[in-house]
């Protein structure tokens, strides 16, 4: 691996870790970076998923104060994330690589649309905070489970999906919900990583660079994310995501 490639992948990992802590779309930075250096899509996705696990854990740690009093919620929804992430990872490995090549551009563009719509989503979430909600019952658990399947298979913008579910069913402070989102995302990525390590081909050099970068980025994102201009982050994510989708479609 050339020094320029190492530096680019490490920098992408830092950016992805920070973005995952704040928005939840870091895969739209690291995955296209690996594609740009010639990694096959499935290998890039597997290596990227493993590399981002430390970043999601560091982001969850950075939001530890907001996690107080949420153990019951996290245990309940964590089972859905665990099962969903397992199924999604198995689907990635069992379905033909051609299926992934065909589906991922659509998933990337859908994730970009979610990121683009996030300001409207945030306003909608705040408007609903005055309505009393329980923990969402079976529909909420199924939503978390479905998001886990998506996250185990690909994962870009799974955090945006989770925040949309939380806003639909739960009444709580948005920062506390964001903290819970980071924990559930780490469960999905973690169980998928275990599956990939056990049975899939992994580029450990790329995964290690992303892991180191995303760990730093996750901590930084949790600390200073509220001060960053969200519009700038969204602009970068959307530009990179659309470029990646275009490149994959043109392959």
């Amino acid at each position: 691996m050339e020094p320029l490639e190492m530096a680019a992948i490490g920098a992408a990992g830092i950016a992805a870790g920070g973005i995952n802590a704040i928005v939840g779309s870091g895969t739209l930075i690291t995955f296209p970076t690996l594609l740009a250096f010639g990694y096959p899509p499935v290998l890039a996705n597997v290596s990227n998923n493993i590399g981002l696990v430390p970043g999601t854990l560091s982001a969850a740690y950075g939001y530890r104060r907001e996690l107080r009093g949420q153990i019951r919620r996290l245990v309940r929804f964590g089972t859905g994330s665990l099962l969903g992430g397992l199924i999604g990872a198995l689907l990635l490995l069992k379905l033909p690589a051609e299926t992934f090549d065909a589906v991922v551009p659509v998933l990337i563009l859908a994730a970009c649309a979610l990121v683009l719509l996030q300001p409207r989503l945030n306003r909608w979430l705040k408007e609903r905070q005055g309505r009393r909600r329980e923990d969402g019952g079976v529909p909420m658990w199924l939503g978390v489970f479905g998001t886990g399947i998506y996250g185990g298979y690909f994962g870009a913008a799974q955090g945006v999906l989770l925040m949309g579910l939380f806003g639909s069913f739960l009444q709580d402070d948005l920062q506390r919900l964001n903290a819970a989102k980071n924990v559930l995302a780490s469960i999905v990525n973690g169980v998928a990583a275990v599956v990939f390590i056990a049975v899939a081909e992994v580029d450990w050099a790329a995964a290690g660079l992303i892991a180191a970068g995303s760990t730093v980025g996750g901590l930084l994102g949790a600390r200073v994310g509220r001060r960053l201009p969200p519009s700038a982050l969204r602009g970068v994510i959307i530009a990179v995501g659309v470029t990646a989708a275009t490149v994959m479609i043109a392959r």
Side-chain angles (χ1 to χ4, degrees):
M1 188 180 295
E2 297 293 330
L4 177 61
E5 181 179 347
M6 294 175 64
I9 293 174
I14 294 173
I19 289 168
N20 276 340
I22 306 161
V23 181
S25 310
T27 290
L28 291 179
I29 300 296
T30 43
F31 180 72
T33 300
L34 294 179
L35 293 182
F37 285 107
Y39 290 79
V42 173
L43 176 62
N45 189 45
V46 167
S47 304
N48 176 66
N49 178 286
I50 293 172
L52 288 178
V53 170
T56 56
L57 290 173
S58 67
Y61 176 79
Y63 275 94
R64 60 193 179 279
R65 284 178 297 180
E66 288 84 358
L67 289 172
R68 292 171 183 166
Q70 297 200 70
I71 295 299
R72 182 177 178 183
R73 172 184 292 170
L74 294 174
V75 169
R76 181 183 181 191
F77 296 143
T79 59
S81 293
L82 182 71
L83 293 173
L86 177 62
I87 293 172
L90 293 175
L91 286 174
L92 176 67
L93 298 178
K94 294 296 183 181
L95 294 176
E98 294 78 10
T99 301
F100 185 79
D101 291 349
V103 169
V104 162
V106 178
L107 295 179
I108 290 175
L109 292 175
C112 288
L114 283 171
V115 174
L116 184 64
L117 293 171
Q118 193 182 31
R120 184 174 298 180
L121 174 63
N122 286 343
R123 289 194 296 271
W124 179 70
L125 295 183
K126 289 178 181 178
E127 290 172 358
R128 298 179 68 88
Q129 287 304 298
R131 303 182 185 183
R132 182 169 297 279
R133 295 278 175 172
E134 299 299 331
D135 261 9
V138 174
M140 178 66 190
W141 191 93
L142 291 175
V144 172
F145 171 67
T147 303
I149 295 176
Y150 168 76
Y153 186 79
F154 183 54
Q158 68 167 312
V160 179
L161 291 173
L162 285 170
M163 288 300 288
L165 285 169
F166 289 165
S168 299
F169 291 98
L170 306 180
Q171 180 189 7
D172 207 339
D173 177 76
L174 287 179
Q175 293 299 334
R176 281 171 52 82
L177 294 178
N178 193 49
K181 174 266 291 182
N182 285 332
V183 172
L184 297 182
S186 70
I187 292 173
V188 172
N189 287 356
V191 69
V194 170
V195 173
F196 295 152
I197 290 170
V199 299
E201 179 185 0
V202 181
D203 189 301
W204 287 106
L209 288 168
I210 293 173
S214 67
T215 300
V216 174
L219 291 172
L220 291 175
R223 290 187 63 182
V224 304
R226 299 178 186 90
R227 306 174 191 172
L228 298 176
S231 58
L233 284 175
R234 282 191 295 272
V236 171
I237 293 168
I238 293 166
V240 173
V242 170
T243 301
T246 302
V247 169
M248 291 197 69
I249 292 170
R251 286 168 63 93

